[in-house]
Amino acid sequence: MWTLNLDLNFRSLFLSFLIGLLFLGQVSALPSSFVQVECPDPHLKRQAEIFFSDFLDEDISDQRLSEALKRFFLKYPVNELRTERLEGGRIHVVIKPRPLIRNIEVNGLKTLKRDSIKESLNLREKDELNPGQLEDVKDRLKKYLHYRGFPHADVSILLLELEDRTEADLKIDITENEPCIVEEIDWSIDRFPVTQADFASWLNMNVGDRCDGKHLEQGIENIRSELKDREFLSAAIDRSEIIYSKNLSRGRLVLEVRVGSSVEVRFRGNTFAFERDSMLRKAIALEDERKFNQAWVEATAISGIKDFYRKRGYPHAQIQCLDDPASGSKKRREIVFEIERGPKVRLEEIHFHGNRFFPEKRLQKEIYSLAPEHIRSGTFVLDELNQASYDLIAFYQSQGFLRAKISEPRISFSQDQKYASASFEVSENERSVFSSLRIQGNRHFSNRFVEDLFQMKDGDPINPLKLMEKKEELKKAYQEEGFKYVDVQVPDINSISQGRVTYEVAIQEGPLVHLRDVIIRGNRHTEEYVIRRELSVAAGDRYDPNRIRDSRRALLRLGFFESVSFEEMNHDPTTGQEDLLITLREKKKRSVRIRPGFSTDDGARGAVELGYINIAGTGRSATAQGRVNRKVRDFRVWEHREMLTYREPHLIGPMSGHAHFINERAEERQYDIDRRSVIVGLNTEITRWFRPQLQYELEFRNPFNIQIDPAELSPIDEQSARFGSVAAILDFDRRNDVLNPTEGSFHRVDFGLYHNFFWSEADFYRLTVRNSMFFPLYRKIRFVLSVRFGFSGTYGKTTSQGISAIPIEKRFRLGGNNSLRGFGRNCIGGVDSDLPENCSDSVLQQAPGGNSMFNFMAEVLFPLFDGFDFAVFSDGGNAYVSNSDFNPFDIRNTAGVGLRYNTFFGPLRLDFGIKLDRRPGESFGEFHFAVGQL
């Protein structure tokens, strides 16, 4: 009994310690007593106390105090700052903060809408507003009212500060007064294809209406749109303005409309999909044209169509324009382009003459590898061939032939005009090779360092592009050492001689730059220590652009700020010091998100999330989430999940803490389960791509509606149970995008140990490894591969009881959107090889799961249009009763096709998977719908 109590007490202390860590507060040093701050904003007052106590000491000179006041003005949004000396040398600082706009109130409007007024102000809630800006705001508003037809409007603007002076209400009183009235509409229209009444209806402004500039702009757009719909493509609005009377009470609306004739542009002879009318309209810039004269026909239209076909391998395309320019005086003008595309030309041969150093085959290989897609595929496109010749010159230069020249290609066609040959004249000239490296001006880095960076050996060809890259690497190396203004000069390509070359690198290191101060602005609620602990830079540090970028990334990752900007300023060339100004814009602390959804695994679902970030400006956050869903098939219970989460940043050094309470009900094939869990843990980010996590979980679960062969159940599965575990999770994330990656990889190792010491009623372990890899293949075609495996088993007390299978809900199963498409969710695992795995009503044909698992999912994505991808996939895998049964070749296989639509929250996936090794009694395949990458 004594041993039991000792165990319980130790466990209680252990769990209390983990939970207690999550609620440790941050303790800041108290400011010194020789500075007294008076400020209505408690947050700003505390920041000021810390600032002046850090900046000043007990022996305060006037110069030091003046410098402190300048820096405080730069750092914090204040309207007024006064100081006075008290007895005993103490300093009394009085601060009047610049208030934030809490609310914008607009009164007095009778015609205009309040939202339009607020939009014209270019202000919003939580913006800072200096009282000195009120006149500018008033002027902008009066101009906007004049534009909307109220030139005599009276405007009054007041900034009403609240009692604590940290926020203020912007009160705007508007008296519209008599508007300007349109007394005449002076139409000037070159011809009337429709009645003037139609023009007036499109304009939607009449005599007696208000002189509203916004309505006038909308009316002009309506006229343009209506004329375009009627094929008056040359129509233009040459003039549209309101001419006001002297007292601004009346306005004459002047409109000059040049309608021209109706122009219809048509194409004949374009029968293939690639040459559809819409593509040809773009080729001739039809949307932008207004004149449609003979110069446009010849220089723009015919030239554009020919160029369109040439770029697609039809160099012999003939275009004839059927047009009578004199018909412009008639009611309708028809412009027809007759197209004879001719044969598509294949590029049969490419020859080179004059090349001595490189054989023709090598040059052919280079030009095909450098050329754009049509040349690579064997299609003759002259522009691409010319571009490839320029790239071939760059290749020659990379090999040291800096004066190499390649002529434009001479083209010859076969008799049937279906094949083309190209020949180039090559003038290689003498090669430039490296002899020695002459380095000047370097003091910080040794000659050996620069030589190792440039990696040039005697006899190497001079490669100007590579050497320019090395120059930039050297600049970057200097800047990372604090020489921000370093200048590295290398010879221009035209100044490098032929033959053996002494390559000169001239370095002007400039001053060693240090950060005089790191100034943070915009954190009206966030405590400064929360921001500074994320920074990789501090006052006195040597300038390092990498640390500055990492600091900005770390602040954005907090999720507290809408924007984060870094500005380097106030450089002093005599000392090499400068300030780093960090300007922040905070997000709203509270958020509500409602997310409906649907998937074939979960059915219809609805979720709501209430969040509170940056509690009291400390960086802490709390969220409450709820979700309910109902499966599409075999519905027995409503599934639901409620979770409360609390996060404590930097709980122990760089490690952050988190705590979760989870209550859920889940429906499985063979059973349903109620579960409640408490999770506490620590996590950190070692690098941007490596994140380890350690957590403790205490889970209470109760299975019910059990529909499984009793032989597959252990005593643990037949009743309620308690599981306690410690888990180590390692994430390696090298993806280029978390939600829609196109390259990179993600790897996760998750090992959980369940033991009596952790309050678990069963002793077992569970290891899962997930690998997802993303490979770009060609242009936007991608290959995605996900490989997963897992092992688990019992040990200790549980093994001694004759139990080898881990608890039923912890076992591995496959099937569904995210493991084995073509099978229903969790239908694969532990069923004899002669039985169908279709999750039928037969108990013997439902997956009991296994202690080990292997799974792969592979797919190739082909871009279609506007974010849509077409997918071809193949999946495989199995779950095995024991670890000794693990066999990655004993798997079920599926294949199928699908569609992807890439959204800001991840891809929407619609797949149909087909069972490749279908057993008697199994379905042909399954549809799957889900959100998120593999």
Side-chain angles (χ1 to χ4, degrees):
M1 182 64 69
W2 179 82
T3 302
L4 177 61
N5 288 336
L6 180 62
D7 273 352
L8 289 175
N9 289 335
F10 186 82
R11 292 167 180 162
S12 300
L13 289 172
F14 176 75
L15 183 59
S16 299
F17 173 73
L18 285 174
I19 297 175
L21 284 176
L22 298 176
F23 300 96
L24 290 177
Q26 300 286 346
V27 179
S28 299
L30 294 176
S32 303
S33 58
F34 63 84
V35 178
Q36 295 181 359
V37 177
E38 179 183 336
C39 179
D41 183 346
H43 175 76
L44 183 56
K45 178 181 178 181
R46 179 170 178 78
Q47 295 298 326
E49 290 171 342
I50 296 172
F51 173 85
F52 284 110
S53 298
D54 290 344
F55 201 90
L56 304 175
D57 52 31
E58 295 185 5
D59 183 16
I60 306 171
S61 64
D62 290 341
Q63 181 179 357
R64 185 68 172 168
L65 181 58
S66 175
E67 180 69 18
L69 296 178
K70 290 179 181 177
R71 292 198 168 278
F72 193 83
F73 257 115
L74 178 64
K75 186 171 185 178
Y76 295 103
V78 295
N79 283 335
E80 184 179 339
L81 182 62
R82 292 184 289 107
T83 62
E84 60 178 329
R85 293 183 181 270
L86 304 177
E87 293 182 1
R90 291 178 300 161
I91 299 295
H92 182 222
V93 182
V94 180
I95 301 172
K96 183 179 179 182
R98 185 178 301 167
L100 296 178
I101 298 176
R102 186 188 70 167
N103 182 45
I104 300 176
E105 180 183 344
V106 181
N107 298 315
L109 292 177
K110 296 181 179 179
T111 306
L112 300 179
K113 295 182 179 179
R114 289 180 174 82
D115 289 344
S116 65
I117 297 295
K118 290 182 178 180
E119 185 178 345
S120 71
L121 295 175
N122 197 25
L123 291 172
R124 60 177 181 171
E125 296 172 0
K126 300 301 181 183
D127 279 352
E128 298 174 5
L129 184 62
N130 190 325
Q133 297 175 273
L134 292 181
E135 284 301 316
D136 291 337
V137 174
K138 182 177 180 179
D139 288 343
R140 288 203 308 268
L141 186 52
K142 288 182 71 70
K143 289 179 181 178
Y144 178 76
L145 291 168
H146 189 171
Y147 165 72
R148 296 301 306 271
F150 294 97
H152 304 292
D154 293 325
V155 178
S156 172
I157 299 181
L158 294 175
L159 191 64
L160 304 176
E161 295 186 2
L162 303 184
E163 291 183 3
D164 62 1
R165 293 189 172 183
T166 63
E167 293 184 319
D169 291 336
L170 185 63
K171 184 178 180 182
I172 302 173
D173 290 316
I174 298 175
T175 304
E176 294 174 344
N177 292 322
E178 290 297 320
C180 169
I181 300 299
V182 177
E183 64 177 359
E184 180 184 358
I185 299 179
D186 185 0
W187 290 94
S188 176
I189 304 173
D190 64 343
R191 58 188 301 270
F192 286 92
V194 291
T195 65
Q196 184 168 332
D198 288 327
F199 279 101
S201 66
W202 298 341
L203 180 64
N204 198 26
M205 288 185 69
N206 299 299
V207 172
D209 287 350
R210 194 173 76 248
C211 304
D212 191 334
K214 185 175 181 180
H215 285 177
L216 175 59
E217 289 180 359
Q218 292 172 345
I220 296 302
E221 287 304 312
N222 287 340
I223 292 175
R224 288 197 178 104
S225 178
E226 292 290 344
L227 290 174
K228 181 179 177 182
D229 289 345
R230 287 161 173 75
E231 295 186 335
F232 293 99
L233 304 182
S234 61
I237 310 296
D238 293 332
R239 184 183 178 191
S240 62
E241 64 173 325
I242 299 174
I243 300 175
Y244 295 90
S245 62
K246 289 184 179 181
N247 61 3
L248 303 178
S249 61
R250 293 288 182 269
R252 182 166 65 92
L253 177 56
V254 178
L255 288 166
E256 293 182 3
V257 182
R258 178 164 40 85
V259 178
S261 60
S262 173
V263 178
E264 181 184 8
V265 177
R266 295 192 294 118
F267 305 93
R268 294 176 184 169
N270 54 319
T271 56
F272 292 162
F274 81 87
E275 53 181 344
R276 55 189 179 274
D277 284 6
S278 60
M279 300 294 291
L280 294 174
R281 285 173 179 267
K282 291 181 181 179
I284 64 176
L286 188 61
E287 290 290 329
D288 302 324
E289 186 57 37
R290 292 293 178 268
K291 295 182 179 180
F292 297 99
N293 53 24
Q294 193 64 24
W296 172 80
V297 170
E298 295 177 0
T300 301
I302 292 180
S303 176
I305 297 173
K306 284 185 176 180
D307 189 56
F308 173 85
Y309 280 98
R310 281 196 298 265
K311 289 180 178 179
R312 287 157 178 80
Y314 296 89
H316 306 303
Q318 297 296 316
I319 315 298
Q320 183 179 1
C321 179
L322 305 180
D323 175 39
D324 180 8
S327 64
S329 59
K330 302 177 182 178
K331 293 184 177 180
R332 185 175 184 82
R333 178 182 177 189
E334 185 178 64
I335 303 175
V336 181
F337 293 98
E338 293 277 3
I339 300 171
E340 177 58 48
R341 82 175 74 83
K344 188 171 186 178
V345 177
R346 305 292 298 174
L347 182 59
E348 189 174 32
E349 294 177 331
I350 298 179
H351 296 291
F352 297 90
H353 305 285
N355 52 304
R356 301 186 309 275
F357 190 86
F358 293 110
E360 185 174 71
K361 287 186 177 180
R362 174 68 186 276
L363 296 180
Q364 289 171 345
K365 179 181 178 181
E366 289 296 331
I367 203 166
Y368 276 112
S369 65
L370 295 170
E373 59 178 326
H374 287 101
I375 295 296
R376 288 202 304 271
S377 65
T379 301
F380 171 74
V381 176
L382 183 58
D383 288 349
E384 291 189 7
L385 204 57
N386 286 326
Q387 180 60 49
S389 69
Y390 302 145
D391 293 336
L392 195 58
I393 293 176
F395 163 73
Y396 259 106
Q397 291 177 343
S398 72
Q399 301 300 313
F401 295 92
L402 306 185
R403 306 291 187 272
K405 297 180 181 179
I406 299 178
S407 68
E408 291 187 356
R410 291 199 305 269
I411 308 300
S412 60
F413 294 97
S414 63
Q415 190 171 1
D416 60 4
Q417 302 291 298
K418 293 183 178 180
Y419 297 93
S421 297
S423 63
F424 295 90
E425 290 291 336
V426 179
S427 176
E428 293 176 343
N429 292 312
E430 188 179 350
R431 198 180 198 192
S432 301
V433 297
F434 178 78
S435 172
S436 61
L437 186 65
R438 182 182 300 163
I439 307 167
Q440 299 176 350
N442 57 309
R443 297 186 304 274
H444 183 75
F445 287 126
S446 66
N447 283 2
R448 180 62 180 272
F449 176 86
V450 179
E451 290 169 355
D452 290 344
L453 187 144
F454 273 83
Q455 297 178 337
M456 298 293 290
K457 298 178 182 178
D458 187 19
D460 284 352
I462 296 294
N463 184 343
L465 180 59
K466 179 181 177 182
L467 291 170
M468 288 299 293
E469 292 173 352
K470 294 301 179 181
K471 167 193 168 181
E472 294 303 318
E473 288 182 24
L474 183 58
K475 285 185 64 176
K476 182 179 179 183
Y478 265 105
Q479 289 172 344
E480 290 173 350
E481 292 293 309
F483 295 91
K484 177 181 178 181
Y485 299 101
V486 64
D487 183 34
V488 179
Q489 296 291 334
V490 296
D492 180 77
I493 187 172
N494 295 319
S495 65
I496 300 175
S497 62
Q498 301 182 73
R500 295 181 61 80
V501 174
T502 297
Y503 196 79
E504 298 184 357
V505 178
I507 302 169
Q508 294 180 1
E509 293 181 342
L512 180 61
V513 177
H514 286 81
L515 298 180
R516 180 172 43 233
D517 195 5
V518 178
I519 303 167
I520 300 172
R521 292 195 61 183
N523 56 317
R524 296 299 293 257
H525 301 291
T526 308
E527 295 288 346
E528 189 161 315
Y529 74 82
V530 173
I531 299 168
R532 291 197 180 274
R533 70 188 177 192
E534 299 294 331
L535 301 180
S536 303
V537 294
D541 284 356
R542 202 169 52 190
Y543 171 83
D544 187 337
N546 292 332
R547 289 188 175 185
I548 292 175
R549 282 192 295 268
D550 290 343
S551 298
R552 182 177 183 275
R553 190 180 297 112
L555 291 178
L556 287 171
R557 192 170 54 244
L558 288 175
F560 306 155
F561 307 111
E562 288 184 7
S563 62
V564 176
S565 67
F566 280 58
E567 181 182 0
E568 298 143 28
M569 57 189 299
N570 300 332
H571 176 71
D572 186 346
T574 60
T575 63
Q577 292 183 325
E578 63 186 30
D579 296 326
L580 180 63
L581 176 63
I582 303 174
T583 305
L584 310 167
R585 186 180 184 88
E586 295 175 321
K587 287 182 179 179
K588 292 182 179 179
K589 293 184 177 182
R590 301 172 184 84
S591 63
V592 179
R593 289 189 291 180
I594 299 175
R595 297 192 301 268
F598 177 84
S599 75
T600 50
D601 286 350
D602 299 328
R605 65 176 181 265
V608 61
E609 177 181 315
L610 307 177
Y612 196 117
I613 62 172
N614 202 10
I615 299 171
T618 61
R620 303 180 178 106
S621 65
T623 57
Q625 298 173 310
R627 187 200 72 196
V628 61
N629 63 284
R630 172 177 174 171
K631 294 189 182 300
V632 178
R633 295 176 295 186
D634 304 324
F635 165 74
R636 289 194 305 268
V637 299
W638 282 88
E639 292 187 308
H640 61 82
R641 177 184 173 92
E642 299 80 43
M643 182 168 70
L644 301 176
T645 299
Y646 173 80
R647 299 187 184 278
E648 176 74 38
H650 293 264
L651 181 62
I652 303 176
M655 293 187 292
S656 299
H658 58 266
H660 307 279
F661 172 75
I662 303 171
N663 177 63
E664 64 181 327
R665 169 169 287 190
E667 177 184 341
E668 296 293 345
R669 293 287 183 175
Q670 302 92 343
Y671 60 92
D672 302 322
I673 193 166
D674 283 327
R675 182 164 36 216
R676 289 175 300 282
S677 303
V678 176
I679 302 172
V680 291
L682 298 170
N683 61 278
T684 188
E685 186 174 273
I686 304 299
T687 67
R688 281 183 292 167
W689 52 268
F690 177 45
R691 293 186 293 272
Q693 185 177 160
L694 179 68
Q695 67 182 30
Y696 171 77
E697 179 176 3
L698 184 62
E699 173 189 339
F700 301 86
R701 70 97 159 103
N702 178 34
F704 63 100
N705 289 342
I706 298 174
Q707 302 175 21
I708 193 170
D709 186 353
E712 302 289 346
L713 295 175
S714 69
I716 300 174
D717 300 327
E718 297 174 353
Q719 58 190 3
S720 301
R722 181 184 69 242
F723 301 130
S725 67
V726 169
I729 303 171
L730 304 177
D731 285 344
F732 304 83
D733 193 349
R734 305 305 295 264
R735 294 172 293 183
N736 64 340
D737 188 300
V738 175
L739 296 176
N740 289 301
T742 57
E743 60 181 311
S745 61
F746 175 81
H747 311 274
R748 167 170 287 187
V749 180
D750 186 347
F751 178 75
L753 183 67
Y754 297 75
H755 190 273
N756 180 48
F757 177 77
F758 304 120
W759 283 351
S760 180
E761 294 180 351
D763 296 341
F764 62 97
Y765 67 90
R766 195 173 191 268
L767 169 69
T768 57
V769 178
R770 169 190 171 188
N771 306 275
S772 296
M773 291 153 283
F774 307 87
F775 305 95
L777 297 180
Y778 174 73
R779 293 186 177 268
K780 294 185 179 181
I781 301 175
R782 291 106 64 203
F783 175 62
V784 182
L785 175 64
S786 178
V787 180
R788 310 166 193 181
F789 57 87
F791 298 95
S792 63
T794 62
Y795 67 95
K797 178 184 68 175
T798 303
T799 300
S800 65
Q801 294 173 351
I803 302 174
S804 60
I806 67 172
I808 187 170
E809 75 273 17
K810 306 292 185 184
R811 299 177 195 171
F812 294 108
R813 297 174 179 82
L814 300 179
N817 296 323
N818 298 312
S819 61
L820 197 57
R821 291 163 288 187
F823 287 94
R825 179 174 177 265
N826 289 346
C827 288
I828 303 299
V831 176
D832 292 339
S833 59
D834 59 341
L835 294 176
E837 295 181 283
N838 59 2
C839 293
S840 68
D841 294 333
S842 173
V843 171
L844 295 177
Q845 295 177 7
Q846 295 189 13
N851 278 7
S852 61
M853 170 272 294
F854 173 76
N855 173 226
F856 76 83
M857 304 176 71
E859 63 183 29
V860 180
L861 300 173
F862 300 89
L864 297 177
F865 52 87
D866 296 335
F868 280 94
D869 293 325
F870 175 73
V872 179
F873 67 83
S874 177
D875 299 345
N878 206 348
Y880 312 95
V881 174
S882 66
N883 292 333
S884 61
D885 295 327
F886 180 85
N887 183 358
F889 300 100
D890 178 19
I891 58 176
R892 301 301 306 274
N893 290 283
T894 66
V897 296
L899 289 175
R900 306 286 181 270
Y901 178 62
N902 299 308
T903 69
F904 68 92
F905 52 83
L908 299 177
R909 297 191 283 126
L910 176 63
D911 295 317
F912 182 74
I914 301 169
K915 300 177 179 68
L916 299 180
D917 51 358
R918 186 157 56 109
R919 298 174 183 175
E922 290 182 341
S923 63
F924 177 74
E926 295 273 347
F927 274 106
H928 301 278
F929 176 79
V931 179
Q933 194 50 271
L934 303 183

